[in-house]
Amino acid sequence: MREITIVGGGPAGALCGEKLASAGFDVTIFDERMAWEKPCGGGLTHKAIEAYPFLLDSPQPKKIVSQAELISSRGHRARFEMSHPIVIYARKVLNGLLLDRAVAVGCRAICSRVTNVDTQGERVRLTAAGEEREADFVVLAAGARNQLLPETTALGTRDLEVTLGYFVPTEEDIIKIKFLKQFEGYLWSFPRADHLSVGICAKMGQSPSQQLRHHLDDFVSEEKFSMEGAKFYSHVLPSPQAQTIRGRRILGRNWAMAGDAAACVDPITGEGLYYALRSGDLLAQALVEGQTQAYPERLRAAFSADLEFAALIARKIFRGTFLGDAITTRMVQLLNYSPAFRDLIRDVFSGSQDYRSLKRRLWNQVGITFAEITRNFLDPRRLRFIAGHSNGHEPSR
Ligand SMILES: Cc1cc2nc3c(=O)[nH]c(=O)nc-3n(C[C@H](O)[C@H](O)[C@H](O)COP(=O)(O)OP(=O)(O)OC[C@H]3O[C@@H](n4cnc5c(N)ncnc54)[C@H](O)[C@@H]3O)c2cc1C
């Protein structure tokens, strides 16, 4: 197998192409837009930076953000320093960086839409720009709405989220996340080099888009973002159910999927960039080693078992209650009251804490957390605050 065609030059396709071409494969990447401003927060967590340090070292413009603020549906706020900064790119810049690296090691990058993929014959046949081409193997990395599916089905409503947002030409230095009451999703503001990406994500089919737009506009006015010159966007994002993560077919005789197309997205946070890069990388490694059939198992060992666990607890996190109030509200309150809990959330948000060991860590530190809450709760300064304020803004620590 020498000739490999990749459909989609986003993070999954571009990194897969770079790794394959570096190993001597003849690689062609097709993307209908090449480097473009895909609607996205553009945030790369610590695990992405650790695995791919060039994302931090590259000279391309990016924003390095260390502070985050969580806002509960009732208006409580908690600010904290993340244990590792998040690196935020405009997607046009990030995709351009990844495609340039792929081309530099020998990939052909062709700006064209692939309209058909036929994997039935000895060789794969693809149609792009009205021309038919052949390859030994095809990598489908064409994103969440990919319809070029040889022997599997597209992601359905239950595996997708709707996102709406604005690119706002203003500068900030803090990530903001706001939760809503009984709502599977959240609002966000991600600062980039010269603008903000502000948006809302929600499970598809659970809220009409007018209502989402309403929540988004309320958030924008509460946070007093100046909207002059803001550009609206909307896109879908995989939010896979546990059975989709476990059972979805992502590999065939002469094809494989990576990134959003393979539903490699965190169903709680919507983080997909790291998983797109890592899945593209693991697929390339498996192909280079002649171990293509090992790709799904390697993906599972690397992260998809953890994402499956996240899918099982996602609904509970967004809709569940703890001690009589929403879990998300309690989370924001605990951040202010317990340094041990704050350390845990700092790790979760910077991407250095996985979900499966989170439960154990929570249990191990439950005693410390309650001792800290009791001590802080009885602090006369806070008692005065609780008695006197109803807007929930906590005094900063
Ligand atoms: C609003 C929003 C905010 C997000 N914020 C974050 C965030 O802050 N951090 C994070 O980690 N993740 C975030 N994500 C998720 C992240 O954007 C995706 O997980 C990531 O882009 C997936 O990469 P990919 O390479 O699989 O697919 P994509 O980046 O979607 O790339 C697919 C490429 O395929 C091309 N393509 C599609 N069809 C064809 C075709 N038929 N022929 C040729 N080319 C084709 C497209 O032009 C595109 O360039 C966000 C997503 C959304 C929607």
Side-chain angles (χ1 to χ4, degrees), residues 13-248:
L15 191 74
C16 185
E18 180 195 332
K19 299 279 171 161
L20 287 169
S22 305
F25 284 76
D26 178 334
V27 185
T28 306
I29 299 176
F30 285 98
D31 195 297
E32 58 184 335
R33 298 193 240 202
M34 285 299 156
W36 64 293
E37 195 50 65
K38 185 198 159 179
C40 183
L44 291 155
T45 56
H46 178 61
K47 51 186 181 282
I49 302 303
E50 209 177 23
Y52 308 107
F54 68 86
L55 294 168
L56 183 62
D57 303 337
S58 79
Q60 276 76 2
K62 60 186 92 58
K63 190 103 180 173
I64 298 168
V65 182
S66 301
Q67 263 210 329
E69 182 172 59
L70 297 192
I71 309 167
S72 80
S73 61
R74 296 207 282 122
H76 305 86
R77 286 171 186 262
R79 266 184 194 208
F80 57 95
E81 289 282 320
M82 286 174 289
S83 41
H84 302 278
I86 286 189
V87 178
I88 308 180
Y89 276 90
R91 280 300 300 269
K92 192 172 178 177
V93 175
L94 177 64
N95 285 21
L97 164 68
L98 293 165
L99 282 165
D100 286 350
R101 287 173 60 93
V103 169
V105 290
C107 276
R108 265 183 304 280
I110 302 180
C111 186
S112 178
R113 180 175 173 75
V114 173
T115 50
N116 190 47
V117 175
D118 176 1
T119 53
Q120 297 305 312
E122 187 58 32
R123 300 193 85 214
V124 183
R125 293 152 79 106
L126 297 101
T127 314
E131 269 181 48
E132 212 167 84
R133 295 153 193 268
E134 289 193 357
D136 296 315
F137 194 92
V138 63
V139 174
L140 295 167
R145 277 292 197 200
N146 163 35
Q147 298 294 326
L148 303 163
L149 304 158
E151 291 141 61
T152 184
T153 48
L155 293 171
T157 308
R158 291 157 69 90
D159 289 312
L160 290 171
E161 272 184 7
V162 188
T163 63
L164 313 176
Y166 295 104
F167 293 125
V168 185
T170 184
E171 289 196 33
E172 287 236 340
D173 290 311
I174 183 166
I175 290 173
K176 290 183 178 172
I177 304 283
K178 181 173 181 184
F179 302 105
L180 294 168
K181 201 172 167 196
Q182 287 293 302
F183 184 88
E184 272 176 77
Y186 59 88
L187 291 140
W188 76 84
S189 155
F190 267 43
R192 288 165 163 195
D194 59 358
H195 66 277
L196 295 183
S197 169
V198 181
I200 183 167
C201 56
K203 271 286 195 197
M204 194 174 265
Q206 287 191 1
S207 314
S209 53
Q210 254 176 334
Q211 194 184 13
L212 297 181
R213 188 84 186 246
H214 188 69
H215 287 313
L216 178 63
D217 291 338
D218 282 352
F219 180 57
V220 160
S221 64
E222 279 160 24
E223 299 308 311
K224 300 187 174 55
F225 296 134
S226 153
M227 295 301 281
E228 210 182 316
K231 278 197 205 129
F232 181 73
Y233 64 74
S234 140
H235 210 271
V236 292
L237 170 70
S239 175
Q241 304 174 90
Q243 66 258 41
T244 306
I245 298 172
R246 194 172 43 246
R248 184 166 165 76

